[in-house]
Amino acid sequence: MTSLDVITMGCRLNTYESEVMRHLATEAGLKDLIIVNTCAVTQEAERKACQTIRKLSKARPGTPLVVTGCAAQINKGKFLKIPGVSLVLGNAEKVSANIFKALPALLDSPQGPQALVSDIYDQDSLTLPLISHYEGMAKAFIEIQNGCDHSCTFCTIPAGRGKNRSLPLGQLVSHVQHLVDKGFKEVSLTGVDITSFGHDLPGTPTLGNAVKRLLKMVPDLPRLRLSSLDPKALDDELFELFEREERLMPHAHLSIQSGNTLILKRMKRRHVRDDILSTCERLRKARPEIVLGADFIAGFPTESAEHFEDTLALIDEVNLTYLHVFPYSARPGTPASRMPPVPKPIISQRAALLRSQGKVRQHAYAQSLCGSTSDVLIESAQTGRTPGYAALDLTAPSEAIGKIQKVFISPSTTPSGISGTFV
């Protein structure tokens, strides 16, 4: 049995780029192929990537196996040594139509397994093909930005993604209009640091400028979402759009990492605690019903019990609903890896406590929706999602998938805690 399989690890940006690779591989006529799109955000993510690749190699011996993504970009030699790997591609190469057209010859090369990984810092612009299908998804993602010009002390992502570069506004509008024409009702804008969008483009448009133009130029787009936002980098126009544009969903996910200013400074983040408080207050003033989520790192080097208590207090103070928690994992060569570490058992305890807080808060928010009616995007025959990003269980006919339906929300014993009935 032959099949084209793309395995995605990590972020929404990887999710989008995996669909680009699926599109390019299909266009090139490739049918018997495995592509693993790796993540390098933590040491654990890289370990899982290696484990997944070994399992796939054993399960489908003889099937060409291509490894790409941030971990492959940063550490190509490590993946090239894994038995069964046919080719390692860098992050620039993985979205190249010419590379995929040449893939049959590359995979059949007498030289054996090889790596095509260029210097990611040589990439000065962002251009991506139009794609029409997202495997198993009823909503679409668009990469509007890649790379990062900042240097957080814990992070290796700039080494995997290169410098900040943005999708030109005209291409962004064309991509989204294409997806709307294909029937998508919701599009998410994603990237490494989307609040840095436009810094490299003529006229230096902001993310708010881009969202405003997009919503104006694609009036038939029902829903727009944004991926992680830096708390200090939201521009005035973006706040205004949250206030007056109903098609911009009332949901914001912030890249916070810690609630303590000293730890944030040691992380070399752009924001401090007061910035988080003021941004969340301004978002709630602009959109009272907005639902907020955040990324956190548990057990960053030098984090004391008091520092961690500041994080717990912040979660309550700004009323966060969705918590995405990373136990700190030292990345070799980063400044944080040379700082005094927190013992691993304490890191695990703090991560578990944050995740527990997240489950409680998410459940409480879901229960607050019970008895109300909401416009829900039907994501599958069993699930839907509200404007505030709450998942609910339902039973939907196949023709409803991908559409927005009015749903009455009730309590449920299912994992989401709520269920929906079509109105």
Side-chain angles (χ1 to χ4, degrees):
M1 178 179 174
T2 64
S3 63
L4 170 62
D5 293 309
V6 184
I7 289 84
T8 306
M9 312 185 81
C11 63
R12 289 177 179 175
L13 184 57
N14 258 8
T15 299
Y16 171 75
E17 290 173 345
S18 286
E19 294 309 312
V20 171
M21 287 189 283
R22 193 189 307 277
H23 167 81
L24 294 176
T26 301
E27 289 284 297
L30 298 165
K31 296 178 180 178
D32 188 23
L33 181 67
I34 302 170
I35 302 172
V36 180
N37 196 6
T38 65
C39 173
V41 70
T42 62
Q43 194 74 25
E44 177 65 9
E46 191 168 315
R47 186 194 69 79
K48 286 183 178 178
C50 292
Q51 183 182 56
T52 297
I53 292 162
R54 290 189 180 98
K55 286 182 179 178
L56 288 166
S57 179
K58 290 179 181 177
R60 290 175 61 183
T63 302
L65 202 163
V66 175
V67 179
T68 186
C70 289
Q73 175 72 42
I74 295 169
N75 201 350
K76 63 184 179 183
K78 180 176 186 177
F79 293 95
L80 203 57
K81 292 176 183 176
I82 298 176
V85 170
S86 311
L87 181 68
V88 176
L89 292 179
N91 270 335
E93 288 75 15
K94 76 179 181 183
V95 292
S96 166
N98 288 334
I99 292 292
F100 273 82
K101 288 175 184 175
L103 218 53
L106 292 169
L107 295 172
D108 197 33
S109 169
Q111 299 176 21
Q114 57 185 305
L116 297 179
V117 181
S118 61
D119 186 341
I120 197 65
Y121 286 100
D122 288 341
Q123 299 298 311
D124 295 317
S125 61
L126 188 61
T127 302
L128 296 159
L130 290 173
I131 59 175
S132 306
H133 176 72
Y134 291 76
E135 189 75 16
M137 290 185 285
K139 55 190 175 185
F141 296 89
I142 288 289
E143 178 180 331
I144 66 163
Q145 180 275 342
N146 206 330
C148 184
D149 290 340
H150 303 282
S151 51
C152 295
T153 59
F154 56 84
C155 188
T156 60
I157 296 305
R161 291 288 182 176
K163 56 195 172 188
N164 176 63
R165 50 203 189 279
S166 311
L167 190 69
L169 287 172
Q171 288 187 42
L172 171 59
V173 170
S174 296
H175 278 250
V176 175
Q177 185 63 66
H178 175 74
L179 290 167
V180 170
D181 291 343
K182 294 295 181 181
F184 285 97
K185 306 298 182 186
E186 181 175 306
V187 174
S188 294
L189 306 184
T190 189
V192 174
D193 175 25
I194 66 171
T195 45
S196 290
F197 174 89
H199 292 184
D200 58 319
L201 296 178
T204 59
T206 64
L207 177 61
N209 297 153
V211 172
K212 181 179 180 180
R213 178 172 175 181
L214 177 59
L215 291 169
K216 180 180 179 181
M217 298 299 290
V218 191
D220 46 350
L221 170 66
R223 288 186 172 189
L224 183 68
R225 288 193 192 273
L226 307 176
S227 67
S228 294
L229 304 167
D230 187 283
K232 195 173 182 178
L234 278 71
D235 59 277
D236 290 342
E237 199 157 30
L238 194 57
F239 285 108
E240 292 170 9
L241 286 165
F242 271 113
E243 182 175 10
R244 61 181 174 79
E245 181 51 76
E246 290 187 358
R247 292 184 294 155
L248 181 58
M249 293 293 94
H251 166 234
H253 194 86
L254 304 173
S255 181
I256 290 177
Q257 311 305 356
S258 174
N260 177 269
T261 288
L262 178 59
I263 293 299
L264 288 168
K265 288 182 176 180
R266 288 173 177 168
M267 289 178 170
K268 205 175 176 182
R269 299 294 291 167
R270 284 168 276 177
H271 58 273
V272 295
R273 183 185 177 90
D274 284 347
D275 296 320
I276 302 166
L277 297 175
S278 61
T279 294
C280 292
E281 181 182 7
R282 193 172 175 187
L283 283 168
R284 292 199 185 281
K285 184 178 180 181
R287 196 78 166 270
E289 74 273 26
I290 198 165
V291 185
L292 301 178
D295 295 325
F296 286 102
I297 295 174
F300 184 81
T302 77
E303 182 187 69
S304 67
E306 291 76 17
H307 297 150
F308 182 65
E309 285 297 324
D310 281 348
T311 294
L312 292 175
L314 178 82
I315 291 167
D316 286 331
E317 194 168 350
V318 299
N319 190 22
L320 296 176
T321 297
Y322 305 110
L323 306 185
H324 191 192
V325 180
F326 297 91
Y328 175 74
S329 174
R331 302 300 280 138
T334 59
S337 69
R338 299 187 290 274
M339 297 179 186
V342 173
K344 287 185 178 181
I346 294 178
I347 293 176
S348 298
Q349 290 169 12
R350 291 176 184 173
L353 182 54
L354 285 174
R355 286 171 176 153
S356 175
Q357 287 276 316
K359 288 180 180 178
V360 169
R361 301 185 72 84
Q362 192 168 331
H363 180 77
Y365 171 63
Q367 294 306 301
S368 75
L369 300 175
C370 292
S372 67
T373 299
S374 180
D375 291 324
V376 170
L377 177 70
I378 310 303
E379 295 188 338
S380 74
Q382 295 85 33
T383 59
R385 202 169 290 272
T386 69
Y389 207 63
L392 52 82
D393 297 282
L394 45 74
T395 301
S398 58
E399 61 269 20
I401 298 173
K403 295 180 180 177
I404 297 170
Q405 303 280 345
K406 281 205 176 295
V407 169
F408 180 76
I409 302 174
S410 305
S412 169
T413 57
T414 57
S416 70
I418 50 177
S419 62
T421 306
F422 289 111
V423 176

